Amino acid sequence: MIKEKLISVKEDALEQIKSVANKDDLSQLKVKYLGKKGEITAVLKTLGSVAPEERAEIGKLANLAKEELEKAFENKLQELNDSIFDQIKESEWIDVTAPAQKAKLGKLHPVTQIQYEIEEIFKSMGFSIFEGRELEDDYHNFEALNIPKDHPARDMQDTFWLFGDKLLRTHTSSVQVRAMEKTKPPFQGISPGRVFRYEGIDASHQNTFYQVEGLMVGKDISVANLIYAMKTLLKKIFKKDVKVRLRPGFFPFVEPGFELDINCLICGGKGCSVCKQTGWLELLPCGLVHPNVLKLQGIDTEEYSGFAFGLGLDRIVMMRYGIDDIRHLLSADLRFLEQF
Ligand code: DAH
């Protein structure tokens, strides 16, 4: 009886060991069979009731069963350990020979790219780069540019006024004044930068945009010099001869003043939202520096004259790449920016 019991307990144990899936279950099972209160131990405790002549045989059998089970537990433990390692090998596998991932490089904003290009073009013509400031005062932004207080020309530019006489510059022309304060003629330079206007936003207007101011003061500077510089610039920027037209334009700090327009490169002159259906794009207001502006900075107008221009940098970028809405430029949308 006890012999059969021993064998069936052992067989049960071996069967269960086979199907164990983790180490916790395995050690519980080991306690269940081989522990102090385990089933094999329980069988051995009944040995006292066995006839003395059978006792030795059964005792031996019991020890063998115990050894067999211990061996089985040990093997299973080894098996489970191996499979854990296999899993780790699978999940943490890395190919050390694979090429490293490339770092993602950023790029300059299209406006900055073209700004740098324009700087190079003018540097090659002997122009320097003037530093300006975005926070300006009434004097440099208006007064010294022949736009006195209460002059209707102030209405041409809706201004973000700050405290006192401070304002966000409405144009880069204020740099003309700062350049003349610092430098004696002859000199020539450009100044690219951000400008601000308090105005409604649409496909061709932003409250924050970019201009490049240019100023050349010297002996015998005339409209011919101005036109030559502008044509050189446009030809290099657009890499072809661009159709231009010159119209009279009023700006208090130049006399005569002009509007230099270029044929709209978006629609080819047919008319679109960017050129307000005219086929032309107002690109480059310019002129000969007004004598009042020169005189105020102590420049002798008998000896010196100058030309100035104010280029809409955003417009140049839009024309160059066929962008039909200025709002893209400040959007910081990578889907847009990654194209340049
Ligand atoms: N500052 C003017 C504006 O933003 C543009 C301008 C016109 C600049 C004529 C000039 C110039 O230098 O000569 O509307």
Side-chain angles (χ1 to χ4, degrees):
M1 270 303 279
I2 192 167
K3 209 166 141 186
E4 284 78 38
K5 176 78 181 158
L6 200 57
I7 290 168
S8 88
V9 167
K10 187 190 79 178
E11 294 301 326
D12 278 357
L14 289 173
E15 203 54 45
Q16 285 181 49
I17 289 169
K18 261 192 223 158
S19 55
V20 164
N22 62 58
K23 291 207 273 187
D24 280 350
D25 290 354
L26 188 69
S27 70
Q28 271 177 29
L29 202 60
K30 192 169 177 184
V31 172
K32 184 179 170 207
Y33 283 99
L34 298 178
K36 270 191 192 139
K37 291 177 183 161
E39 294 193 20
I40 295 284
T41 322
V43 176
L44 288 177
K45 275 185 185 152
T46 62
L47 217 56
S49 60
V50 171
E53 59 274 22
E54 280 181 62
R55 214 175 278 165
E57 192 204 340
I58 292 182
K60 205 171 159 193
L61 208 65
N63 278 331
L64 282 175
K66 227 172 141 180
E67 265 173 38
E68 195 179 337
L69 285 181
E70 264 161 9
K71 192 86 200 147
F73 276 114
E74 209 173 286
N75 289 342
K76 186 67 185 184
L77 187 64
Q78 185 66 42
E79 192 187 313
L80 288 174
N81 279 338
D82 288 351
S83 83
I84 289 170
F85 189 63
D86 285 346
Q87 277 169 28
I88 293 174
K89 270 201 308 204
E90 199 54 45
S91 64
E92 294 184 6
W93 183 86
I94 48 163
D95 180 356
V96 293
T97 66
Q101 253 181 15
K102 277 212 179 99
K104 218 172 165 199
L105 272 189
K107 277 191 270 185
L108 292 175
H109 191 282
V111 170
T112 312
Q113 289 181 28
I114 299 217
Q115 176 192 321
Y116 288 179
E117 252 181 63
I118 292 174
E119 287 179 7
E120 287 311 312
I121 294 168
F122 277 101
K123 277 199 244 168
S124 78
M125 292 193 276
F127 281 63
S128 47
I129 313 290
F130 298 139
E131 286 290 336
R133 49 182 83 178
E134 292 177 346
L135 173 62
E136 264 300 357
D137 52 39
D138 186 288
Y139 173 78
H140 290 90
N141 196 85
F142 293 123
E143 201 86 37
L145 287 167
N146 204 26
I147 314 172
K149 286 197 175 62
D150 305 319
H151 192 282
R154 288 209 175 185
D155 295 341
M156 290 163 73
Q157 303 180 349
D158 293 309
T159 308
F160 286 112
W161 287 98
L162 304 171
F163 43 91
D165 66 342
K166 300 290 186 287
L167 50 90
L168 292 180
R169 67 174 177 191
T170 57
H171 52 187
T172 43
S173 300
S174 52
V175 187
Q176 288 190 32
V177 181
R178 295 201 175 270
M180 286 185 274
E181 284 170 348
K182 276 201 205 120
T183 327
K184 284 203 171 3
F187 63 82
Q188 58 277 330
I190 61 162
S191 188
R194 266 199 312 190
V195 300
F196 310 87
R197 302 263 175 102
Y198 180 58
E199 59 179 53
I201 291 172
D202 61 29
S204 49
H205 295 87
Q206 266 285 19
N207 52 29
T208 303
F209 53 101
Y210 291 80
Q211 292 184 333
V212 181
E213 193 75 16
L215 176 66
M216 178 168 200
V217 181
K219 288 190 173 144
D220 302 321
I221 299 297
S222 71
V223 175
N225 300 111
L226 168 64
I227 292 176
Y228 174 77
M230 297 303 95
K231 279 198 160 167
T232 307
L233 167 70
L234 295 173
K235 199 168 163 176
K236 289 202 176 164
I237 280 288
F238 294 114
K239 299 182 172 62
K240 59 178 175 188
D241 280 320
V242 180
K243 240 163 110 182
V244 300
R245 71 177 185 189
L246 214 57
R247 292 178 287 123
F250 171 69
F251 303 96
F253 38 95
V254 282
E255 180 58 37
F258 307 106
E259 286 283 5
L260 190 144
D261 299 345
I262 67 165
N263 205 240
C264 181
L265 299 175
I266 300 264
C267 62
K270 284 195 219 86
C272 67
S273 67
V274 174
C275 63
K276 295 192 195 116
Q277 315 303 332
T278 62
W280 291 93
L281 218 94
E282 226 180 88
L283 191 72
L284 237 166
C286 49
L288 293 186
V289 184
H290 196 290
N292 285 356
V293 174
L294 295 172
K295 277 185 209 149
L296 189 66
Q297 301 311 325
I299 294 172
D300 182 356
T301 51
E302 295 295 320
E303 201 179 352
Y304 294 109
S305 55
F307 72 71
F309 62 89
L311 180 70
L313 188 52
D314 312 73
R315 294 239 168 115
I316 293 270
V317 175
M318 291 167 75
M319 292 281 100
R320 164 96 159 250
Y321 294 118
I323 299 165
D324 62 0
D325 195 321
I326 192 172
R327 287 167 290 199
H328 288 308
L329 294 176
L330 285 185
S331 69
D333 186 339
L334 287 181
R335 291 168 304 177
F336 168 76
L337 292 172
E338 276 170 350
Q339 300 174 62
F340 303 97

